[in-house]
Amino acid sequence: MAGRWPHLRWAPGFLCMPLIMETSGTRDPSTEAHEHIQFSARSVNQSVMADCRAVCGLNTSDRCDFIRMNPDCHSEGGYLDYLEGIFCHFPPTLLPLAITLYVFWLLYLFLILGVTAAKFFCPNLSAISTNLKLSHNVAVSFDPAHYRKGWLKETGAQGGDCGLHGTPLDILPHGVTFLAFGNGAPDIFSALVAFSDPRTAGLAIGALFGAGVLVTTVVAGGITILHPFMAASRPFLRDITFYMVAVFLTFTALYLGRITLAWALGYLGLYVFYVITVILCTWVYQRQRSRSLVHSISETPEMLSDSEEEQVSSNTNSYDYGDEYRPLLLGQETTAQILIQALNPLDYRKWRTQSISCRLLKVVKLPVEFLLLLTVPVVDPDKDDRNWKRPLNCLHLVISPLVLVLTLQSGVYGIYEIGGLLPVWAVVVIVGTALASVTFFATSNRQPPRLHWLFAFLGFLTSALWINAAATEVVNILRSLGVIFRLSNTVLGLTLLAWGNSIGDAFSDFTLARQGYPRMAFSACFGGIIFNILVGVGLGCLLQIIRNHATEVKLEPDGLLVWVLASALGLSLVFSLVSVPLQCFRLSKAYGLCLLLFYTSFLVVALLTEFGVIHLKRV
């Protein structure tokens, strides 16, 4: 067997080489980092800091030492060291298997992000806003993305139960402020994690810009192809204008190569101004509508049309067939029965009506949902008992704080020993057990306690840290795949990371368009990405400045590809800004096909730029 190894050494080298060969002639400087570099064992031991992607140019016997000794190959956060795992713990002959496992784990991490945000993060945010009695005119103004997902959940539209996202919110208008964070939680946390390390900042830029291009072309174009419609004029012009300003700010920051403290605060300030503009527009529209007796569809941009409202009303007021499954004689459930039922993530009524594909997806999600049910409390103000499950909520008082300390900074604070005696996690377990015991004996199964609303804050923090932990692993594994295949962080961000974070929104929008609500789905395409880019870049850079006590965050674009990405996003917005009014806001299938063609062309150009086929000539 040992004699066969020299003949198989070509396999790791083949997987590490670029996917296509560079053209002859002068190459772009950005591609020089991807060159095949040969190192000897002595140079590995003497290297202090080198590009981690050079590991593929080494002999297989030197790669593990290079990964362990090179600081550029070390991850600052996360639980798993993917580069060390693939180059030190997998033999060279099993490198394809290791890459396959990494890809499947990446897909499952995206699933974890979607489930956590949809079923735990967003409901707790909704409960917090309800308990704090936040005004809809101040804190929860209209947000078509949340309106869309709440409608899908409440009406049971096809696809609402088997998608990666499906926020269980009511169909009242929800916010561009407080609750908008829930809709973009995976994107925001991925951006925050990526900006925390200068080596992965390109992932954040690529993901935010890539998701913008994807949503404004593929998703928007798919909606118009599925169901041509007349767009709402004023919200469309307002949202696309704000988004173009945000893209221009980011383009300028990339050109300058840095984001200062004032620049980061400017991002957040622009989003505050956008929120104020949305609130004022909604207030003006509602005031005009209350004074008028006759309204046409073109005069109702901020709300659904009358026909859409009637359809939603008829769907939500229909007979609740769930009553047929309720027992005729209600008996008092025991504590054990309540605990078992609360930890069961499977709804047998929905299971019987779901398709085979939805059932398979549900089976894949069961372990994640069970773990989250065990660790994250959820408060539902719409239920009579507010989702109070005494045995499970008492367990949450022990498990949730334990999860908090073990996921914060990847468990660094959890293992810290207090006075050299007890670690922090042990103290948390002791305190949580005492608090859970008091709560268990002081409450009953039927009546929620007076301070039950505090569980919403605990669930919000726990689910946020679960999302942050999953996002950290996503960023680390994408960077590892970039090292293996010699891909830049930007191309990984605009493809895998952007696709993974946007697939749930695309699924919901397409389902909504098929159900006859394309206007609502189209509005959601622009509302959510404004929050993602302004808060993602602004908050990510602000936290990095505060953490490092610096005055600015350095941005190092990955050569020509970043400018291709920024230009493509700008061109797609300009195309929509010009073509939609020229069509009198009547969007046809031809418009959707043009958007799909635009994204296909952009993706081809981006990949050709990444692999050096398209490059700038040196002067």
Side-chain angles (χ1 to χ4, degrees):
M1 182 65 183
R4 296 173 58 186
W5 277 42
H7 302 285
L8 295 176
R9 286 184 178 180
W10 61 270
F14 176 78
L15 289 170
C16 293
M17 68 182 296
L19 298 181
I20 61 174
M21 300 298 296
E22 295 179 339
T23 57
S24 59
T26 305
R27 289 172 294 177
D28 179 51
S30 64
T31 63
E32 293 183 353
H34 298 182
E35 292 178 350
H36 190 80
I37 305 174
Q38 294 289 343
F39 289 89
S40 63
R42 179 178 302 176
S43 65
V44 171
N45 296 330
Q46 294 177 349
S47 63
V48 178
M49 174 70 79
D51 190 347
C52 191
R53 286 172 291 189
V55 67
C56 294
L58 301 174
N59 294 325
T60 56
S61 59
D62 298 330
R63 291 174 182 174
C64 181
D65 292 334
F66 180 85
I67 292 295
R68 288 176 173 172
M69 299 183 63
N70 186 9
D72 188 56
C73 300
H74 299 164
S75 301
E76 296 184 357
Y79 297 94
L80 301 176
D81 192 333
Y82 297 99
L83 287 174
E84 182 176 345
I86 199 168
F87 288 110
C88 297
H89 300 292
F90 278 91
T93 55
L94 295 181
L95 187 60
L97 174 61
I99 295 175
T100 303
L101 294 176
Y102 279 17
V103 171
F104 278 109
W105 174 233
L106 177 65
L107 296 176
Y108 204 71
L109 285 172
F110 282 127
L111 183 68
I112 294 174
L113 286 173
V115 172
T116 308
K119 294 191 175 182
F120 297 88
F121 190 78
C122 289
N124 280 311
L125 278 175
S126 179
I128 291 173
S129 65
T130 300
N131 285 294
L132 294 180
K133 299 180 180 179
L134 298 178
S135 171
H136 284 271
N137 290 329
V138 176
V140 286
S141 181
F142 182 78
D143 181 10
H146 282 91
Y147 200 101
R148 165 200 64 195
K149 293 183 178 180
W151 177 86
L152 282 174
K153 185 69 177 181
E154 291 296 329
T155 60
Q158 183 180 0
D161 296 329
C162 59
L164 297 183
H165 297 266
T167 310
L169 301 174
D170 55 36
I171 60 170
L172 293 174
H174 284 77
V176 295
T177 54
F178 193 60
L179 293 181
F181 185 39
N183 184 48
D187 306 85
I188 295 301
F189 278 100
S190 298
L192 295 181
V193 171
F195 273 120
S196 64
D197 188 346
R199 297 171 299 177
T200 56
L203 271 176
I205 299 296
L208 294 174
F209 275 14
V213 179
L214 178 69
V215 172
T216 56
T217 55
V218 176
V219 179
I223 292 170
T224 57
I225 292 175
L226 291 173
H227 198 296
F229 66 101
M230 175 176 285
S233 57
R234 285 179 288 180
F236 170 78
L237 295 176
R238 176 198 66 205
D239 291 343
I240 199 172
T241 301
F242 270 97
Y243 192 52
M244 291 181 67
V245 172
V247 172
F248 176 77
L249 288 177
T250 309
F251 189 90
T252 306
L254 289 172
Y255 177 78
L256 297 176
R258 65 183 184 275
I259 292 182
T260 62
L261 177 61
W263 203 271
L265 294 175
Y267 272 94
L268 300 178
L270 180 60
Y271 185 73
V272 172
F273 180 62
Y274 169 71
V275 171
I276 295 174
T277 303
V278 173
I279 293 173
L280 290 178
C281 290
T282 305
W283 179 78
V284 170
Y285 167 73
Q286 290 177 345
R287 188 173 182 180
Q288 291 177 349
R289 188 178 185 184
S290 63
R291 293 180 178 181
S292 179
L293 297 177
V294 180
H295 301 278
S296 61
I297 296 178
S298 61
E299 292 174 342
T300 58
E302 297 292 343
M303 292 295 189
L304 296 174
S305 63
D306 293 338
S307 60
E308 288 179 336
E309 287 179 346
E310 290 175 0
Q311 293 181 50
V312 172
S313 177
S314 62
N315 283 326
T316 56
N317 294 331
S318 60
Y319 176 71
D320 184 10
Y321 291 96
D323 293 337
E324 297 181 355
Y325 291 87
R326 297 174 183 173
L328 297 177
L329 298 177
L330 295 176
Q332 185 175 3
E333 294 180 319
T334 63
T335 300
Q337 290 175 335
I338 294 175
L339 179 61
I340 294 174
Q341 183 180 2
L343 288 176
N344 182 16
L346 188 61
D347 189 333
Y348 296 103
R349 291 176 297 174
K350 294 181 180 179
W351 176 268
R352 297 175 60 182
T353 60
Q354 285 179 335
S355 61
I356 298 298
S357 59
C358 290
R359 291 184 180 183
L360 292 177
L361 180 59
K362 184 64 176 179
V363 170
V364 174
K365 293 194 296 183
L366 283 179
V368 179
E369 292 180 348
F370 176 79
L371 180 62
L372 292 173
L373 286 173
L374 184 63
T375 58
V376 182
V378 177
V379 178
D380 189 354
D382 296 330
K383 292 184 178 180
D384 295 335
D385 60 354
R386 291 178 292 181
N387 202 37
W388 166 250
K389 310 295 181 183
R390 186 176 67 141
L392 180 58
N393 290 141
C394 290
L395 282 177
H396 286 151
L397 293 176
V398 180
I399 300 177
S400 296
L402 182 61
V403 171
L404 289 177
V405 298
L406 292 180
T407 54
L408 184 63
Q409 291 295 320
S410 302
V412 174
Y413 298 108
I415 61 176
Y416 176 79
E417 293 186 354
I418 302 177
L421 299 176
L422 287 176
V424 173
W425 68 265
V427 176
V428 169
V429 170
I430 294 173
V431 176
T433 302
L435 184 59
S437 301
V438 173
T439 303
F440 184 82
F441 291 107
T443 58
S444 64
N445 290 334
R446 289 190 174 184
Q447 185 66 27
R450 183 180 304 176
L451 298 180
H452 179 232
W453 57 274
L454 291 176
F455 280 86
F457 290 90
L458 180 61
F460 162 73
L461 292 175
T462 310
S463 58
L465 286 180
W466 270 123
I467 293 175
N468 182 73
T472 301
E473 299 302 319
V474 166
V475 171
N476 288 341
I477 198 171
L478 284 176
R479 182 172 182 267
S480 301
L481 292 176
V483 169
I484 296 170
F485 291 103
R486 295 186 179 182
L487 298 175
S488 66
N489 289 326
T490 303
V491 75
L492 291 172
L494 71 90
T495 53
L496 295 180
L497 190 55
W499 295 342
N501 287 337
S502 302
I503 187 173
D505 291 332
F507 186 87
S508 300
D509 288 331
F510 292 157
T511 301
L512 200 55
R514 286 196 299 265
Q515 295 292 330
Y517 302 92
R519 198 162 116 181
M520 188 195 308
F522 188 80
S523 299
C525 292
F526 294 92
I529 54 179
I530 295 175
F531 174 84
N532 293 342
I533 189 170
L534 289 178
V535 178
V537 177
L539 186 59
C541 293
L542 180 62
L543 293 178
Q544 181 69 4
I545 291 174
I546 295 175
R547 184 183 297 111
N548 297 334
H549 304 285
T551 58
E552 61 185 22
V553 174
K554 293 290 186 180
L555 298 179
E556 299 178 359
D558 291 330
L560 181 62
L561 181 59
V562 173
W563 307 115
V564 171
L565 178 57
S567 301
L569 180 56
L571 287 176
S572 68
L573 295 176
V574 171
F575 173 74
S576 295
L577 182 62
V578 173
S579 61
V580 172
L582 288 178
Q583 301 175 76
C584 298
F585 298 93
R586 296 183 180 274
L587 304 185
S588 61
K589 292 184 178 181
Y591 169 74
L593 291 174
C594 289
L595 291 179
L596 295 181
L597 180 62
F598 180 91
Y599 184 79
T600 304
S601 303
F602 151 72
L603 201 58
V604 171
V605 172
L607 293 177
L608 292 178
T609 304
E610 170 68 15
F611 299 130
V613 177
I614 299 177
H615 54 79
L616 294 176
K617 294 183 179 180
R618 291 180 179 178
V619 180

